[in-house]
């Protein structure tokens, strides 16, 4: 069954955690929006930037694994939330995203 916010089926209270993260970070509400990979049909990635705060949101919008590349080194310790379990990793600038995987990093 697809998830439904109204039925609370995202799993493990993730929708509550997302709401809490958004409320605690004005950057996610008021920050400027910067689309990354405009031409990519499978990966939707963007930054939210406000003052010295910056978040990177990456989502695989397909039924297949896709590789995401970035100029930045992303740290596991800066991973805010993900809908899949993410193994602890060193600084990375690429990753294989599972189908419909989404991650948010504070950078």
């Amino acid at each position: 069954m697809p998830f439904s916010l109204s039925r609370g089926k995202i799993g493990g209270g993730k929708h509550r955690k997302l709401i809490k993260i958004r409320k605690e970070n004005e950057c996610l509400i008021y920050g400027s929006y910067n689309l990354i990979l405009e031409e990519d049909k499978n990966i939707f990635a963007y930054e939210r930037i406000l003052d010295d705060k910056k978040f990177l949101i990456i989502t695989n919008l397909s039924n297949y694994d896709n590789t995401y590349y970035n100029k930045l080194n992303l740290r596991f310790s800066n991973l805010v939330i993900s809908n899949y379990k993410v193994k602890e990793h060193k600084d990375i600038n690429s990753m294989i995203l599972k189908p419909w995987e989404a991650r948010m990093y504070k950078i």
Side-chain angles (χ1 to χ4, degrees), residues 46 52 69 71 73 81 83-84 90:
Y46 63 96
D52 63 341
Y69 299 98
K71 297 174 193 169
N73 282 325
I81 193 168
N83 62 334
Y84 279 87
K90 298 179 182 180

Side-chain angles (χ1 to χ4, degrees), residues 39-52:
E39 303 300 319
D40 196 306
K41 294 178 180 163
N42 295 314
I43 296 178
F44 177 57
Y46 63 96
E47 298 171 323
R48 293 299 298 243
I49 304 164
L50 182 66
D51 300 325
D52 63 341

Side-chain angles (χ1 to χ4, degrees), residues 13-27:
K14 290 235 193 246
H15 65 286
R16 288 185 196 96
K17 186 172 181 181
L18 283 169
I19 291 167
K20 183 178 187 283
I21 291 167
R22 184 176 184 270
K23 284 183 178 180
E24 292 175 350
N25 294 282
E26 289 188 349
C27 180

